[in-house]
Amino acid sequence: VVVGGGGGGSPESQKLCMDIYYSMIVTEYKCTSTINRVERFTIDFLSEMVHDNQVRGEAFYRMLEEELKQRFATDVAHTKLPGALFLDHIGHLHDLMLSLLKFPTTGIYEDERTSRALALMDYLRKKDESGNIRKEMYFRYVDFLVELHAELKNYQEAGITLLLEVDMLDWKDNMLEPRGEFPRESEKQRKERLLQNAISFFTTGQDWERAIEMCERLEAFYRYDVFDYDFLASVLRQEAELFHKIASTPRFYPSYYRVIFCGEFEDEENGNEYVYRGGRLEKVMNFTQRIKRKYPDAKLVMRWSPKEEDLKEHKKIIAITTLKLPSWQVIAEKELLSEEEKKRVLKLRSNPHVTEPVMQYFENNNRSVFMYEKPEQRAKEKRPANEFKELWIRQTFLVSEASFPTVRRRCRVVSKKEFMLTPIENATNLVHEKNCQILKEMKKVSAAAAEAMSAGGGMGRV
């Protein structure tokens, strides 16, 4: 019925369609005291129209808004209809959809498209008056975000995004309608399929630990729910291979960068401070070139903050700083960890059997605390004989709004803490870092020797 009012046809046919549509609203409200079903139908239809033809979708929305405002205002017989709330929901979703579609479908606008999709998903996840979540539309935007990350080879982010849908599904037999590449199938079959897809993404992205977690979820399903021991055996073999990869395959982890936007930027960016997750093996030069391509009219400065003369000479300034990942021990000492996280860190670090690959993964994942350092020379002489004697270090710890990796590769900084290191503390830290590097190399040599001994028929671990 609503399709007939989608901007085409004669005024008479459009009026007839609106009469029927409005009577549906009135009838549902009389029967249920809500208009949730009509609202869900309208939102689904509007979403399809806006994505298929933005101009036609915009024309339909304007016509719908104008007609309903007039009818809600003049319908004396049905004054209790929640018309204002209904129009507010439709209007807000329409604006969110348009904000997503205004960006070109290229990798350069990954951050904007991701943030707009997540804002839309957050709104859809809110419960309506009857306590329901608009799951079907929410899942469509999960598909959108997974496809976006997969195209950009952000495989960890694609797998984590898939889990947004996985965690909303149960191991039940009720049937789900087809959607995109998914056929009509039971809810538990859909959940199984999504977990298998997540394993594939995590494996490709060398996040074998998360892939193992997904295998364990499937393992429980095959073992205790459907008793499919052939599939169980297959998953266990896959899990064993993943453990072998952790133990034997070197991995490279991405760098992180602090980016500040100053000047005439969009409201979302202007004056804000972000943590960016770079690509694997992406160096700071490649990262800055990527930022420069996106903002060709901005001045890039590789310092902690823009100088006053920079702000006077340029309308747009972007300051970029390479971030360090402070050790969990340092984060705990600075009281930037919860008590639960402190216990987890202590348990892992106090275990002498934790290997270097396991510790490296632990140090590079689930990170929300980052650090950069700024030296301050406090010697009175311009060229002191011993420059380290009065060299103080200002450490700034940043906390991002989400832990990386997550469903996006850019997160806003939500808090920060500063600490001053005395010259003695700075020297002590440098010695400690050098000792840690030596210990890592010693562990590598010991592991290689043990492997060679094992291959030669020597004794195994006691």
Side-chain angles (χ1 to χ4, degrees):
V1 173
V2 180
V3 178
S10 65
E12 291 80 10
S13 65
Q14 288 189 18
K15 182 179 182 305
L16 177 62
C17 287
M18 284 306 304
D19 288 340
I20 297 172
Y21 175 69
Y22 190 73
S23 70
M24 291 166 57
I25 294 176
V26 172
T27 301
E28 184 183 357
Y29 188 75
K30 284 182 177 179
C31 296
T32 66
S33 298
T34 70
I35 50 176
N36 292 329
R37 289 186 64 187
V38 175
E39 182 184 283
R40 285 197 294 271
F41 170 78
T42 307
I43 289 171
D44 287 346
F45 181 75
L46 179 61
S47 175
E48 290 181 11
M49 287 202 69
V50 168
H51 284 83
D52 290 344
N53 188 317
Q54 193 171 335
V55 174
R56 189 163 176 251
E58 179 71 9
F60 164 70
Y61 169 71
R62 295 303 170 197
M63 182 273 296
L64 182 70
E65 182 186 39
E66 183 180 342
E67 287 282 344
L68 287 180
K69 273 185 178 178
Q70 182 179 354
R71 289 171 189 258
F72 285 137
T74 58
D75 188 356
V76 181
H78 304 101
T79 54
K80 292 184 179 180
L81 280 172
L85 185 61
F86 175 81
L87 288 173
D88 181 64
H89 282 324
I90 302 298
H92 191 62
L93 276 170
H94 172 260
D95 292 343
L96 287 170
M97 291 174 195
L98 288 184
S99 72
L100 175 60
L101 292 173
K102 76 176 184 179
F103 295 102
T105 56
T106 60
I108 200 169
Y109 291 102
E110 169 194 349
D111 301 314
E112 289 79 4
R113 294 170 70 204
T114 301
S115 65
R116 298 306 194 280
L118 288 170
L120 185 48
M121 290 163 65
D122 286 343
Y123 188 78
L124 291 170
R125 193 159 184 167
K126 294 177 182 177
K127 293 181 179 180
D128 59 25
E129 292 179 3
S130 59
N132 296 317
I133 296 173
R134 301 175 181 91
K135 282 187 178 182
E136 281 307 311
M137 186 179 292
Y138 178 87
F139 292 158
R140 287 183 215 160
Y141 286 100
V142 170
D143 294 341
F144 167 84
L145 207 49
V146 169
E147 184 178 349
L148 186 155
H149 284 308
E151 287 177 353
L152 296 173
K153 298 183 179 179
N154 303 335
Y155 298 116
Q156 277 181 289
E157 287 79 5
I160 292 170
T161 303
L162 264 184
L163 299 185
L164 295 176
E165 180 170 353
V166 169
D167 293 337
M168 292 178 70
L169 298 177
D170 293 317
W171 298 110
K172 294 182 178 179
D173 292 316
N174 53 293
M175 299 304 294
L176 300 179
E177 294 304 314
R179 187 187 81 241
E181 65 178 23
F182 302 114
R184 188 174 188 273
E185 58 191 345
S186 68
E187 187 170 346
K188 66 183 181 183
Q189 287 175 320
R190 181 72 55 84
K191 185 162 185 165
E192 176 190 8
R193 188 187 301 273
L194 289 169
L195 282 170
Q196 290 169 342
N197 290 349
I199 291 170
S200 177
F201 280 129
F202 288 137
T203 302
T204 305
Q206 294 191 343
D207 192 344
W208 301 312
E209 287 80 356
R210 281 189 174 86
I212 288 170
E213 290 176 16
M214 300 307 106
C215 286
E216 289 171 346
R217 293 170 75 165
L218 283 177
E219 180 185 335
F221 172 62
Y222 294 140
R223 186 172 186 177
Y224 300 113
D225 193 333
V226 294
F227 299 95
D228 193 327
Y229 292 155
D230 286 334
F231 277 98
L232 174 61
S234 176
V235 168
L236 289 173
R237 285 192 293 269
Q238 188 175 16
E239 199 173 340
E241 180 61 28
L242 291 166
F243 276 115
H244 179 68
K245 286 179 181 289
I246 292 172
S248 62
T249 307
R251 282 183 280 188
F252 300 94
Y253 295 96
S255 299
Y256 291 89
Y257 305 96
R258 166 182 172 262
V259 179
I260 302 179
F261 297 89
C262 300
E264 300 176 2
F265 289 95
E266 296 285 339
D267 291 341
E268 181 183 357
E269 294 173 338
N270 193 28
N272 286 319
E273 191 172 359
Y274 291 92
V275 173
Y276 278 75
R277 186 176 193 247
R280 193 184 304 151
L281 298 177
E282 183 181 39
K283 300 301 182 184
V284 64
M285 182 182 295
N286 304 112
F287 177 77
T288 54
Q289 288 174 350
R290 179 155 62 91
I291 296 295
K292 185 63 178 176
R293 284 196 299 271
K294 184 175 180 179
Y295 304 98
D297 56 341
K299 169 71 174 177
L300 265 63
V301 294
M302 303 303 293
R303 60 174 75 102
W304 299 279
S305 60
K307 295 181 178 179
E308 287 189 13
E309 52 264 34
D310 292 329
L311 297 172
K312 290 178 181 178
E313 295 175 6
H314 303 277
K315 293 182 178 179
K316 294 181 178 181
I317 303 289
I318 301 175
I320 299 175
T321 309
T322 302
L323 293 172
K324 293 182 178 181
L325 293 178
S327 69
W328 290 104
Q329 182 179 349
V330 169
I331 296 173
E333 290 171 355
K334 303 299 183 184
E335 298 183 352
L336 294 169
L337 279 182
S338 67
E339 288 302 319
E340 184 178 344
E341 288 173 320
K342 284 181 183 178
K343 291 177 182 177
R344 184 168 60 93
V345 171
L346 182 62
K347 182 180 179 181
L348 192 67
R349 295 192 68 88
S350 61
N351 188 335
H353 301 299
V354 175
T355 60
E356 183 61 25
V358 174
M359 185 58 73
Q360 271 195 335
Y361 179 84
F362 178 68
E363 292 284 356
N364 283 276
N365 277 272
N366 301 316
R367 299 305 301 250
S368 62
V369 180
F370 306 87
M371 180 189 73
Y372 65 92
E373 296 178 323
K374 183 179 180 182
E376 294 184 10
Q377 181 56 254
R378 297 188 179 183
K380 294 181 180 179
E381 305 87 358
K382 285 188 176 181
R383 293 185 179 179
N386 185 349
E387 61 178 306
F388 298 102
K389 187 177 180 181
E390 292 296 331
L391 183 64
W392 293 62
I393 301 294
R394 184 183 299 276
Q395 289 186 331
T396 303
F397 290 81
L398 309 176
V399 180
S400 59
E401 61 184 325
S403 295
F404 290 95
T406 180
V407 293
R408 51 189 161 178
R409 291 201 301 163
R410 179 179 81 170
C411 286
R412 189 172 295 180
V413 173
V414 293
S415 66
K416 60 173 67 178
K417 270 190 174 184
E418 287 191 351
F419 300 90
M420 289 300 299
L421 292 185
T422 66
I424 295 295
E425 289 173 324
N426 181 37
T428 303
N429 281 353
L430 291 174
V431 171
H432 177 71
E433 288 177 8
K434 184 60 67 175
N435 285 341
C436 288
Q437 291 176 5
I438 293 172
L439 284 173
K440 283 183 180 180
E441 293 302 318
M442 289 173 64
K443 283 184 178 181
K444 287 181 183 178
V445 173
S446 297
E451 187 176 348
M453 184 177 180
S454 175
M459 290 178 63
R461 179 167 48 196
V462 178

